[in-house]
């Protein structure tokens, strides 16, 4: 049984210009001890779907319908007072930019101590001891000294390790990593990804990993969900998405894959980019949301919206033409 099941989730935002349907019928699941990678361009609904799980939405945001089944409980119906007991304890988050997520006026010790004191009832002295243990776990050198420092005294990689230590403090069942390596250089990014994989093996924590970087997804994920315009357009095991042998794919996934720079690409050859941009959520196209940018789109695509269909075991695609061989440039 999956640890987390998101079923037909709709998350909307009320604005002066109308209702923004940021998440519009998303379905995915995270198995215990596994990593689900969610990938897509900016504005595809990745982060909003994840923040809906723990109800960290802006004041004008709300879950219109759907289910969020976590550990057998529907979080959609859980009041905020109960959610506060789940956040940081059973479900933790690593945010995209640690400098804006960590409080600049509190020491590292003060900030990592909070989950231990709030959720596990530890004394200040007991929590301080656990903070040193957590910093050692995430491989921060000289952890005793780092506990007394403030976020601005640490490098970007160190701050992200502090965020990971804070997120894993109470050994959560689910860790939501919202583009945790975006602001880091490639060397530090590799170290952070390696660390997260090691900690997953040690603690058994499941990970919901959000990114726009397919290379990171290939390295981190067991399963992949590709999102576009607030919908999942393809989901499968990672080897189905990245394997050259698959005869099925969504045109959007295909577009993302061929736009990746490769070492064997000739120097004079231009990368093929997906034309256009993600449509504004207040002005979505009538049929398939990707149709205006899809080179295979037909009149049917422009008029009708496809469902997310299982085309082979464990492989779901939202497209009228999921088989690569039957497509033709529309």
């Amino acid at each position: 049984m999956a640890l987390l099941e998101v079923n037909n989730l709709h998350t909307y935002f009320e604005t002066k210009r109308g209702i923004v349907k940021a998440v519009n019928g998303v379905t995915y699941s995270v198995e215990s001890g596994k990593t689900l990678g969610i990938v897509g361009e900016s504005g595809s609904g990745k982060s909003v779907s994840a923040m809906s799980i723990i109800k960290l939405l802006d004041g004008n945001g709300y879950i219109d319908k759907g289910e969020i089944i976590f550990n057998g409980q529907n979080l959609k119906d859980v009041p905020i007072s109960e959610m506060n007991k789940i956040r940081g304890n059973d479900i933790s988050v690593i945010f995209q930019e640690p400098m804006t997520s960590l409080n600049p006026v509190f020491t590292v010790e003060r900030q990592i101590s909070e989950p231990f004191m709030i959720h596990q009832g530890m004394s200040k002295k007991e929590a301080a001891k656990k903070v040193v243990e957590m910093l050692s776990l995430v491989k921060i050198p000289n952890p005793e000294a780092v506990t007394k420092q403030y976020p601005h005294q640490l490098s970007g990689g160190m701050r992200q390790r502090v965020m990971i230590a804070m997120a894993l403090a109470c050994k959560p069942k689910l860790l939501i990593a919202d583009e945790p390596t975006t602001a880091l250089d490639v060397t530090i990014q590799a170290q952070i990804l390696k660390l997260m994989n090691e900690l997953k093996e040690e603690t058994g924590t499941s990970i919901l990993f959000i990114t726009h970087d397919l290379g990171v997804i290939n390295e981190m994920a067991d399963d992949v969900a590709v999102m576009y315009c607030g919908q999942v357009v393809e989901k499968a095991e990672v080897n189905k998405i990245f394997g050259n042998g698959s005869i099925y794919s969504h045109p959007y996934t295909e577009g993302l894959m061929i736009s990746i720079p490769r070492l064997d690409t000739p120097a004079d050859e231009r990368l093929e980019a997906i034309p256009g941009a993600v449509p504004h959520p207040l002005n979505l196209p009538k049929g398939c949301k990707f149709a205006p940018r899809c080179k295979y789109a037909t009149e049917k695509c422009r008029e009708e919206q496809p469902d997310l269909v299982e085309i082979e075991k464990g492989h779901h695609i939202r497209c009228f033409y999921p088989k690569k061989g039957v497509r033709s440039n529309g």
Side-chain angles (χ1 to χ4, degrees):
M1 182 179 175
L3 175 68
L4 172 73
E5 292 183 61
V6 176
N7 299 317
N8 196 31
L9 178 65
H10 292 70
T11 301
Y12 299 161
F13 292 86
E14 293 181 353
T15 70
K16 292 180 180 179
R17 294 178 57 192
I19 301 295
V20 173
K21 298 180 178 180
V23 174
N24 200 13
V26 162
T27 297
Y28 55 68
S29 62
V30 183
E31 301 292 329
S32 294
K34 301 280 184 142
T35 297
L36 171 68
I38 300 183
V39 68
E41 293 171 279
S42 296
S44 59
K46 307 184 300 295
S47 295
V48 174
S49 70
M51 293 305 105
S52 298
I53 295 169
I54 52 176
K55 296 185 176 179
L56 277 183
L57 300 171
D58 290 337
N60 62 334
Y62 62 95
I63 299 173
D64 184 67
K65 61 181 176 180
E67 291 183 325
I68 305 167
I69 309 297
F70 174 72
N71 213 23
Q73 181 180 25
N74 189 357
L75 298 184
K76 180 179 179 292
D77 301 326
V78 173
I80 293 300
S81 58
E82 289 298 312
M83 282 303 304
N84 289 334
K85 298 176 183 176
I86 295 173
R87 295 172 185 158
N89 192 28
D90 293 321
I91 304 176
S92 289
V93 184
I94 303 172
F95 292 101
Q96 183 170 347
E97 176 45 71
M99 195 62 208
T100 56
S101 303
L102 294 170
N103 194 317
V105 301
F106 293 141
T107 62
V108 168
E109 180 179 277
R110 168 78 180 270
Q111 296 186 63
I112 303 181
S113 291
E114 283 189 357
F116 294 119
M117 297 168 71
I118 292 172
H119 295 297
Q120 298 187 1
M122 290 186 182
S123 67
K124 190 174 180 180
K125 186 176 181 180
E126 290 171 329
K129 186 177 178 181
K130 288 293 290 184
V131 169
V132 175
E133 290 180 18
M134 290 307 301
L135 292 180
S136 298
L137 184 66
V138 297
K139 297 179 172 55
I140 286 182
N142 199 8
E144 291 84 1
V146 172
T147 61
K148 307 303 179 186
Q149 293 182 314
Y150 292 85
H152 72 273
Q153 296 175 288
L154 306 176
S155 67
M158 292 275 275
R159 286 195 294 266
Q160 197 60 286
R161 289 170 190 265
V162 169
M163 283 292 297
I164 294 172
M166 192 185 307
L168 294 176
C170 295
K171 297 184 179 178
K173 296 181 177 70
L174 176 66
L175 177 64
I176 299 174
D178 188 3
E179 303 201 35
T181 59
T182 299
L184 306 176
D185 62 61
V186 290
T187 305
I188 302 300
Q189 174 179 289
Q191 293 174 2
I192 294 296
L193 295 178
K194 182 173 183 287
L195 172 64
M196 290 181 67
N197 274 328
E198 289 173 353
L199 292 175
K200 184 183 78 167
E201 294 298 321
E202 290 175 19
T203 62
T205 296
S206 301
I207 300 176
L208 182 64
F209 198 100
I210 301 166
T211 184
H212 60 268
D213 190 329
L214 284 169
V216 170
I217 287 292
N218 190 23
E219 184 176 339
M220 289 292 294
D222 298 294
D223 303 290
V224 182
V226 182
M227 286 189 65
Y228 186 79
C229 283
Q231 297 178 326
V232 173
V233 296
E234 182 169 6
K235 60 178 180 177
E237 293 180 0
V238 68
N239 57 3
K240 289 281 187 183
I241 300 292
F242 291 93
N244 294 325
S246 179
I247 61 172
Y248 301 100
S249 79
H250 191 280
Y252 179 57
T253 309
E254 179 185 298
L256 293 174
M257 295 292 291
I258 62 177
S259 65
I260 300 173
R262 301 179 188 278
L263 292 174
D264 57 356
T265 302
D268 59 347
E269 182 179 319
R270 289 178 64 88
L271 287 173
E272 184 176 340
I274 302 173
V278 179
H280 194 282
L282 287 173
N283 189 29
L284 294 174
K286 179 181 178 183
C288 172
K289 302 300 177 275
F290 186 61
R293 305 175 68 191
C294 182
K295 62 185 178 182
Y296 305 116
T298 64
E299 195 59 32
K300 181 179 182 180
C301 302
R302 288 183 270 270
E303 292 297 321
E304 301 175 32
Q305 183 168 202
D307 295 322
L308 187 66
V309 178
E310 187 173 29
I311 43 87
E312 57 182 341
K313 184 175 173 58
H315 194 173
H316 297 73
I317 295 179
R318 190 186 296 274
C319 182
F320 292 121
Y321 310 105
K323 196 170 186 178
K324 297 176 184 178
V326 302
R327 295 174 187 159
S328 61
N329 290 348

